[in-house]
Amino acid sequence: MEATNTESLEWLFDEHESADELLVDHKMDISASVFKRMEELGISKSGLAKRMGVDNAVVTRIISGKQNITLKTIAKLEEALNFKLDSGFKYYELSAHVGMATMTSPYVNDHPKNAQGIAAKLDQRSITRCYSFPNGELVAA
Amino acid sequence: MREDYRIVPFGLGGVSMLVLTKVGSEPFIKELCTNGKTRGDASLIARSVKRLLISGQEWGFQSGGLKGPLHGVRGEIALYEVRCAKKRTVLRLMTYLHNDSERTPVFLFEFKGHQASESIGGIPPADLRRGEDLAVIARQLMKAKGEQQ
């Protein structure tokens, strides 16, 4: 619902962030991605905890952004939720439409120049939905 | 309808942050931007609000980024607190959620929590009363906007 004459505050995203601020940002990005994936798969917190083999409280802390997550925990999350979190901890979902990639992730939308190249790759491989990673790898969803 | 207030949209890359603003005054987020000492706070608010708008209010409630409806509010106004987490503290935004299909948030003002001994749920009573008054105005403006469309 962005109005045409809306003043943009996107420049604020380029403001310097301290390590502490980045840490909080990463935690909340992971939280949002995990929660979105849980909703997609219809998995509860206790269901995810069971899949990961951890206590329910660990999942609650991940969702609330209070858990200092280790790479091992990230790997467990990825395995349990069958997705990838290694793209800056943000969840990317793409869909190709008539030869043009339509970015459903706002994070990817920030980089529209990526869209055409990805769309071409999708066409070559007849993939309609995929996850895209900064190294160029496309994984079918 | 109150004509001394307006709702100002700010683009955050695909989503809009609606801010209630008194005519002739700067929106609170712009005031934070103009001061070098508080620009970091504005950046944090922009990032947190974008994440909330994208990820949805259910995620907000689960993650603690959205709290409410606030206790101690008179009447039936949907007053909420958006919490932008810093390392040890949080920035708090008094927020009205409009009664439409998306429960569109209108951000009212930034406030400090736990600053008064008689605070209600960590919110100073003066801020709660101010939030109530502004939420009523925001509701009128959003309703008028909805009827225009």
Side-chain angles (χ1 to χ4, degrees), chain A residues 64-81:
Chain A
S64 63
K66 288 176 183 156
Q67 179 83 356
N68 198 6
I69 303 171
T70 62
L71 288 174
K72 189 173 180 180
T73 304
I74 288 177
K76 282 183 180 179
L77 281 169
E78 290 180 328
E79 185 186 24
L81 293 171

Side-chain angles (χ1 to χ4, degrees), chain A residues 1-3 5-17 20-26 28-29 31-33 35-36 39 45 60 63-66 106-107 109-110, chain B residues 8-18 29-30 33 39-40 42-44 46-48 50-51 54-55 58-60 62-65 85-88 102 104 142 145:
Chain A
M1 57 176 293
E2 197 160 353
N5 55 356
T6 301
E7 182 181 344
S8 176
L9 289 179
E10 284 182 76
W11 62 271
L12 281 172
F13 302 139
D14 297 329
E15 280 289 299
H16 172 76
E17 287 181 85
D20 285 342
E21 288 167 338
L22 279 170
L23 175 66
V24 174
D25 248 8
H26 289 331
M28 298 316 290
D29 282 339
S31 161
S33 295
F35 189 79
K36 185 179 176 188
E39 278 191 328
K45 285 187 200 172
T60 299
I63 301 293
S64 63
K66 288 176 183 156
Y107 300 112
N109 269 337
D110 290 344
Chain B
V8 181
F10 289 99
L12 295 176
V15 290
S16 276
M17 174 186 187
L18 302 181
I29 187 79
K30 288 280 285 179
C33 290
R39 197 171 299 138
S43 175
L44 174 65
R47 282 182 277 116
S48 302
K50 179 177 181 177
R51 197 181 288 116
I54 289 168
S55 305
E58 188 52 42
W59 171 75
Q62 293 288 331
S63 66
K86 294 173 99 171
K87 178 144 174 85
R88 289 189 182 82
E102 296 174 358
T104 308
M142 288 295 285
K145 193 179 163 190

Side-chain angles (χ1 to χ4, degrees), chain B residues 67-75 77-81 92-96 108-114 116 118-136:
Chain B
K67 188 178 153 190
L70 298 180
H71 296 297
V73 174
R74 296 171 297 193
I77 196 82
L79 203 54
Y80 290 72
E81 178 186 353
R92 295 169 163 86
L93 303 181
M94 195 67 80
T95 306
Y96 161 69
L108 307 176
F109 59 89
E110 189 229 336
F111 68 98
K112 305 276 181 267
H114 303 284
E118 66 275 22
S119 65
I120 304 162
I123 301 172
D127 285 328
L128 204 55
R129 299 287 93 85
R130 185 180 167 213
E132 286 170 1
D133 295 342
L134 292 178
V136 170

Side-chain angles (χ1 to χ4, degrees), chain B residues 131-149:
Chain B
E132 286 170 1
D133 295 342
L134 292 178
V136 170
I137 296 168
R139 178 165 63 185
Q140 288 171 354
L141 292 172
M142 288 295 285
K143 206 173 168 186
K145 193 179 163 190
E147 284 167 2
Q148 279 173 7
Q149 287 172 351

